[in-house]
Amino acid sequence: MCGIVGYIGKDKNTLRNLINSLKILEYRGYDSAGIAYVKNKTVKIIKEKGKIEALEKKINFNEDVTIGMGHTRWATHGEPSIVNSHPHKVGKITLVHNGIIENYEELKKLLKEFGYKFKSDTDTEVVCALIDKLYNEKKDLKKVLSKLVNLIKGSYAFSIISDDEPDTIYAIRKDSPLILALSNNGYYIASDVPAILNHTNKYILIDNDEIIELKKDNYFIYNSRLEPIQKKVSIFEGSINSSIKDGYSHFMLKEIHEEDKVIKDTMFPYIENGISSLIDKMPDLKKYENIDIVACGSAYHAGLIGKTLIEDYAKIPVNVEIASEYRYKTLFSNSKNLVILVSQSGETADTLSSLRIAKENNIDTLAIVNVVGSSIAREAKEVLYIKAGYEIAVATTKAYLAQIAMFSLIALNLGYINNLINDNQIEDIFNQIYKLPKLIKEVLNEDYSKIAKKIYKEKDIFFIGRKIDYPIAMEGSLKLKEIAYIHSEAYAAGELKHGTISLIQKNTPIIAIATDKNVFSKTISNIKEVKARGAYIIYLTTSNLNNELNFADTKIIVPQISPLLQTILAIIPLQLIAFETAKLKGCDIDKPRNLAKSVTVE
Ligand code: M6R
């Protein structure tokens, strides 16, 4: 959470550039923001509560500035306020921070004994004071930063300017992402690549404990022993288009409408040369006898779909865990066990920790990740990239879709190598994959606003489904909670009568998902049970199953396709219903309250 950016070079428009980069990083947190810059060798700080627009109004963009840094915050320690927002300044040190310092309370106590006084509730101000204290002793900021790693616990990416070196930016990271970008006009540091794409596509991924020293016309990277190191310069191949709305009212809507392309980009390379692509382009998974899937939020829901698909098509037992639980559970390592980590950002703290714990226990790891070069992608034994492109809206849509598509491919691969799917069946499924983008477009072209009108004033909504339709219900429910702020619960359809059905009253909306023909009649019975208690039924099913169901108050019919691919079509109406509902409620759809896209804290 939080985004940081810094610049030093010849471009005098630094203030405007910093603000533009912060706007791109705003998806990482947006409850307050601030910048620090150097003018006449003096560090100046401007901060404001709320979104970047609020900060922007306080800045005089006519000032010529060639060195500065900025921060957009997702509050962890202390409420969103000007005093708690970054940059923080203590003594000679000005600093912005993305991450969490876990031992800040003991450090704070110690620093108070040395006379430091604190204005904010943040962990960041404590580190700022610590650096200032060490700097006053050593008078060498690089040396201080190389020692810092032994003194602070937690995650961080810091950008630092010292009063004594107003022509230098220092930066250091541990477990929070940081890149260094090289442009013709100077150097940027940032929490991620889109933030710098208006200026350059050349960047260097900074690893844990590396220290950056940026001057106007040179940059240096050191390891923790302060030895200079050379690092590979990467070129970002994608386009800046991901960070513009392209005529859509919201990033979320744009991203949903990219889903047909996402399926082409993610799935087609694995089928383009027939079965050999599916086998050659995936790691060899034959030896694994059981699989754990570990993830958070929507990625966890994608994992639940992966479980059903892998169990049904490859007959391999799969256990799905929420990463924040997995990291503290007792692990039973065995060489036939594979842990699959799923993460759009590749930086989610709990998923990253789970990956590291699996590795410490000698368990093989496979990451399904969207962001190339992210921590999870770099640290996993194997990685499969989904090709969703940059996702800006905080609520994931296209990346989630690509995650479930990747699980379809994994299930297919495992089913084939375990001789459970034959060549004819593979060919049939490949043909259906080729049809998917067209079918997605059909689903996208439907109008879901009538359903939104029906539910947008509701306080409680239930989603129900059985088997693979249950995680679809969970994802639909999360989308609605996340962006439309409507309380909703997803239930395994057969479970309602064990307690929750007592909440069903006249007109309580139930969004019932029934796409799996094996449990169809069972789900229908459950729908009838709630209908009998007065519920308003919004019923989502497939064209082949849409038979005599005249008790549904509203129907959503998606085209029928192989059960391996059906969830890809089923989730899209639920994403659009959430979008339309949030729009009717006037919610801030791309940046829902209290959230951030990349959850880099535990
Ligand atoms: O980047 P990740 O896929 O690891 O993120 C996991 C969750 O934080 C994420 O899916 C979250 O639940 C989304 N905001 C839901 O739309």
Side-chain angles (χ1 to χ4, degrees):
M1 347 280 276
C2 303
I4 67 170
V5 61
Y7 171 76
I8 181 164
K10 295 182 213 126
D11 193 339
K12 293 181 181 159
N13 278 322
T14 299
L15 297 181
R16 172 53 66 200
N17 294 340
L18 288 176
I19 289 297
N20 289 345
S21 292
L22 284 180
K23 283 183 178 169
I24 294 170
L25 287 169
E26 207 174 9
Y27 72 87
R28 303 177 70 89
Y30 35 81
D31 55 45
S32 54
I35 55 164
Y37 60 97
V38 178
K39 190 75 194 167
N40 302 329
K41 303 203 167 165
T42 305
V43 177
K44 299 194 168 186
I45 295 177
I46 306 175
K47 314 204 270 190
E48 188 53 286
K49 190 179 158 189
K51 304 235 165 79
I52 312 287
E53 283 87 6
L55 172 70
E56 198 174 8
K57 289 191 187 124
K58 290 176 101 174
I59 297 174
N60 171 12
F61 289 101
N62 294 326
E63 273 196 282
D64 288 348
V65 171
T66 54
I67 167 170
M69 58 194 189
H71 185 271
T72 179
R73 179 170 187 249
W74 186 86
T76 57
H77 298 71
E79 58 169 14
S81 66
I82 292 186
V83 76
N84 285 332
S85 62
H86 303 210
H88 288 279
K89 182 163 197 214
V90 178
K92 292 179 167 171
I93 303 299
T94 306
L95 177 149
V96 292
H97 170 210
N98 168 28
I100 279 194
I101 305 305
E102 287 161 10
N103 59 337
Y104 83 103
E105 295 211 31
E106 52 193 269
L107 290 170
K108 193 169 186 175
K109 212 167 136 211
L110 201 75
L111 287 159
K112 277 183 179 169
E113 285 169 19
F114 285 99
Y116 281 93
K117 292 195 169 44
F118 294 92
K119 290 181 254 170
S120 77
D121 302 318
T122 65
D123 50 345
T124 306
E125 192 187 12
V126 175
V127 179
C128 207
L130 179 65
I131 297 176
D132 182 66
K133 179 176 183 311
L134 298 174
Y135 176 72
N136 287 334
E137 289 161 15
K138 289 193 191 305
K139 298 287 174 216
D140 183 332
L141 195 46
K142 264 197 315 259
K143 280 194 186 145
V144 168
L145 295 181
S146 74
K147 293 282 166 282
L148 199 63
V149 55
N150 303 318
L151 302 174
I152 55 176
K153 291 190 192 132
S155 60
Y156 47 85
F158 294 125
S159 173
I160 303 157
I161 299 176
S162 161
D163 284 358
D164 284 351
E165 294 178 77
D167 56 351
T168 311
I169 293 181
Y170 290 96
I172 182 167
R173 74 157 279 213
K174 183 176 154 265
D175 294 346
S176 291
L178 188 68
I179 59 141
L180 161 63
L182 320 174
S183 84
N184 293 334
N185 273 332
Y187 305 105
Y188 286 85
I189 49 165
S191 297
D192 71 17
V193 176
I196 52 85
L197 286 178
N198 281 321
H199 310 283
T200 179
N201 62 355
K202 288 191 203 128
Y203 67 97
I204 296 171
L205 292 167
I206 301 302
D207 284 302
N208 277 352
D209 302 336
E210 289 174 351
I211 296 166
I212 308 175
E213 182 182 11
L214 296 182
K215 300 276 185 193
K216 195 169 78 184
D217 40 27
N218 214 344
Y219 72 91
F220 307 91
I221 306 173
Y222 306 93
N223 63 20
S224 57
R225 294 181 301 284
L226 288 184
E227 296 155 346
I229 51 172
Q230 299 297 322
K231 299 207 62 170
K232 181 179 153 234
V233 178
S234 303
I235 307 288
F236 180 77
E237 303 291 355
S239 91
I240 185 77
N241 273 348
S242 305
S243 23
I244 55 172
K245 286 189 194 140
D246 217 6
Y248 286 93
S249 59
H250 297 82
F251 281 113
M252 182 178 176
L253 191 61
K254 177 193 173 212
E255 288 162 3
I256 294 172
H257 280 269
E258 287 168 355
E259 290 182 329
D260 54 325
K261 178 174 182 309
V262 167
I263 288 299
K264 274 189 207 154
D265 294 346
T266 301
M267 299 191 90
F268 285 14
Y270 291 93
I271 63 171
E272 62 194 1
N273 294 319
I275 189 67
S276 63
S277 316
L278 187 66
I279 303 299
D280 298 345
K281 289 186 178 168
M282 281 215 178
D284 183 2
L285 305 175
K286 195 165 172 49
K287 76 168 190 185
Y288 299 111
E289 290 180 358
N290 49 71
I291 295 175
D292 289 319
I293 299 175
V294 182
C296 303
S298 296
Y300 167 75
H301 297 158
L304 291 170
I305 287 177
K307 171 185 165 74
T308 303
L309 295 178
I310 294 169
E311 289 183 344
D312 282 1
Y313 282 83
K315 308 284 181 245
I316 297 172
V318 180
N319 170 42
V320 191
E321 298 271 357
I322 291 172
S324 52
E325 296 294 320
Y326 178 87
R327 62 187 290 188
Y328 296 113
K329 76 178 238 152
T330 307
L331 291 188
F332 302 95
S333 67
N334 86 51
S335 60
K336 305 260 167 88
N337 182 205
L338 173 70
V339 175
I340 303 182
L341 295 305
V342 192
S343 176
Q344 185 285 129
S345 62
E347 301 293 348
T348 300
D350 287 316
T351 314
L352 181 57
S353 286
S354 300
L355 163 70
R356 289 178 179 157
I357 288 163
K359 282 172 74 178
E360 280 160 20
N361 282 274
N362 296 318
I363 304 173
D364 284 353
T365 54
L366 164 65
I368 299 177
V369 174
N370 191 32
V371 178
V372 176
S374 55
S375 302
I376 292 174
R378 284 194 277 168
E379 292 185 31
K381 182 172 183 222
E382 304 280 358
V383 58
L384 287 171
Y385 282 111
I386 53 168
K387 297 285 167 64
Y390 269 102
E391 195 179 54
I392 303 285
V394 166
T396 180
T397 52
K398 62 175 181 171
Y400 167 83
L401 202 86
Q403 288 163 351
I404 57 180
M406 187 53 80
F407 275 118
S408 303
L409 293 168
I410 292 173
L412 204 55
N413 171 298
L414 285 170
Y416 186 79
I417 59 180
N418 288 340
N419 298 318
L420 294 163
I421 304 175
N422 64 33
D423 286 298
N424 288 342
Q425 289 166 320
I426 282 278
E427 201 185 317
D428 175 49
I429 288 175
F430 281 10
N431 286 335
Q432 299 199 51
I433 292 174
Y434 280 121
K435 286 185 191 144
L436 255 179
K438 185 171 160 282
L439 298 179
I440 289 174
K441 275 203 151 53
E442 280 175 27
V443 180
L444 287 172
N445 286 338
E446 292 295 321
D447 177 11
Y448 302 97
S449 60
K450 279 199 199 104
I451 298 176
K453 270 190 202 120
K454 174 67 200 164
I455 63 173
Y456 82 104
K457 288 188 181 149
E458 297 293 338
K459 295 266 178 293
D460 296 294
I461 295 182
F462 293 88
F463 285 72
I464 59 170
R466 277 174 181 260
K467 230 182 146 210
I468 207 160
D469 291 327
Y470 177 36
I472 284 291
M474 292 166 89
E475 179 59 10
S477 167
L478 176 62
K479 286 282 97 70
L480 198 65
K481 285 187 275 243
E482 192 176 14
I483 63 164
Y485 313 147
I486 296 180
H487 171 252
S488 80
E489 299 276 352
Y491 268 86
E495 183 65 12
L496 270 186
K497 55 185 167 293
H498 297 286
T500 312
I501 203 163
S502 65
L503 293 171
I504 307 299
Q505 305 174 62
K506 189 165 169 28
N507 282 330
T508 303
I510 299 269
I511 301 187
I513 300 132
T515 70
D516 182 342
K517 80 171 180 337
N518 295 321
V519 288
F520 181 71
S521 59
K522 304 290 173 197
T523 309
I524 297 307
S525 303
N526 300 135
I527 299 174
K528 287 183 177 165
E529 286 158 13
V530 285
K531 178 74 185 169
R533 284 151 182 90
Y536 180 90
I537 308 293
I538 299 161
Y539 166 62
L540 190 159
T541 190
T542 57
S543 42
N544 61 319
L545 296 175
N546 172 34
N547 38 39
E548 57 7 296
L549 273 176
N550 43 20
F551 59 79
D553 296 290
T554 303
K555 281 186 198 171
I556 306 162
I557 313 293
V558 294
Q560 187 230 341
I561 195 158
S562 159
L564 184 80
L565 308 168
Q566 192 67 64
T567 53
I568 294 173
L569 297 176
I571 190 59
I572 298 170
L574 303 184
Q575 294 173 339
L576 283 165
I577 288 170
F579 174 84
E580 296 290 349
T581 308
K583 200 166 114 187
L584 280 176
K585 290 187 73 176
C587 299
D588 191 348
I589 296 178
D590 287 335
K591 295 184 197 117
R593 69 181 174 216
N594 302 339
L595 290 173
K597 185 150 188 77
S598 185
V599 185
T600 54
V601 296
E602 188 178 340

